[in-house]
Amino acid sequence: MTDTNADKKSLRRMVRQRKAALTAEQKQAEAEAVFAAIEAQPQFACAHSILLYHSLPDELPTHDVLQRWCASKLIFLPRVKGDDMEIVHYDGILVTDNPFGIAEPAGEPYDGVVDLAIVPAVGVDRNGNRLGRGGGYYDRWLGRHKCRAAWVVALDCQLLDAVPAEPHDALMDGVFTPSFQKIFQHT
């Protein structure tokens, strides 16, 4: 194990402890603040197709916003396929017949351009470095597919001073927490 991997593992453990101290009401209030900030962005207003995620219990909640956005945007959700991730149009139906038992969309994978990806994180820093769960699914997907912008969303307790980044880690184009929002102009 490299020092970077050990650092990431330690950060994941620390963030997991921080999140455990939050109530469901606190998480929901923070999610509302994050998504209100996103909805106020001109890039969001112009986005037709959005990759979102169906939140797990330890992630920034998305269930309400998923229902709200699918009325006006073309929403895609991730689906794990082997060691990779594909995205599928969200039509309101989710299935859990996968090795992880995670609610995922059924249907054919989409391989076109996505205007905006809203990506979950275990942790994130103010420079757009994202700490994921360690599987690299989003990093690989973002590296192979056309996405006009990728924004990471997190709770305030997930905002870290620094996230160790490796060459294969996808740098985010925006960071959104309740207390910190920034869109980058990467060159």
Side-chain angles (χ1 to χ4, degrees):
M1 181 181 287
T2 66
D3 289 338
T4 301
N5 286 335
D7 291 345
K8 287 181 176 183
K9 188 175 181 179
S10 174
L11 287 172
R12 286 184 186 103
R13 186 173 31 255
M14 180 189 68
V15 171
R16 189 170 42 249
Q17 291 169 346
R18 288 179 178 180
K19 286 191 299 186
L22 297 176
T23 66
E25 292 78 15
Q26 289 170 311
K27 288 181 192 175
Q28 187 60 41
E30 289 197 24
E32 290 170 10
V34 165
F35 290 113
I38 287 174
E39 290 168 345
Q41 300 301 315
Q43 296 95 321
F44 174 80
C46 294
H48 173 68
S49 58
I50 297 177
L51 169 60
L52 193 55
Y53 64 96
H54 189 264
S55 57
L56 297 172
D58 66 334
E59 293 174 328
L60 184 92
T62 60
H63 299 176
D64 291 344
V65 75
L66 180 62
Q67 295 307 313
R68 185 167 68 242
W69 290 359
C70 74
S72 60
K73 305 282 186 183
L74 183 59
I75 301 297
F76 296 95
L77 296 178
R79 177 171 68 194
V80 173
K81 180 153 186 162
D83 289 336
D84 286 316
M85 181 179 98
E86 57 190 17
I87 66 171
V88 178
H89 175 251
Y90 173 65
D91 63 2
I93 299 170
L94 297 171
V95 296
T96 57
D97 62 348
N98 57 69
F100 300 108
I102 296 172
E104 295 177 327
E108 294 299 313
Y110 176 76
D111 199 31
V113 176
V114 172
D115 294 323
L116 179 61
I118 306 292
V119 181
V122 172
V124 63
D125 67 23
R126 289 174 170 80
N127 297 313
N129 294 304
R130 173 185 167 273
L131 176 66
R133 292 183 184 273
Y137 294 102
Y138 280 97
D139 294 315
R140 284 191 298 280
W141 188 88
L142 289 166
R144 291 187 203 141
H145 294 85
K146 180 73 174 148
C147 181
R148 292 193 171 93
W151 294 348
V152 61
V153 294
L155 302 163
D156 273 336
C157 69
Q158 295 172 276
L159 187 60
L160 305 169
D161 292 334
V163 170
E166 298 175 79
H168 64 268
D169 292 331
L171 186 63
M172 297 290 104
D173 300 306
V175 175
F176 287 82
T177 74
S179 65
F180 179 83
Q181 297 96 38
K182 184 171 184 178
I183 296 175
F184 303 99
Q185 302 301 321
H186 297 303
T187 55

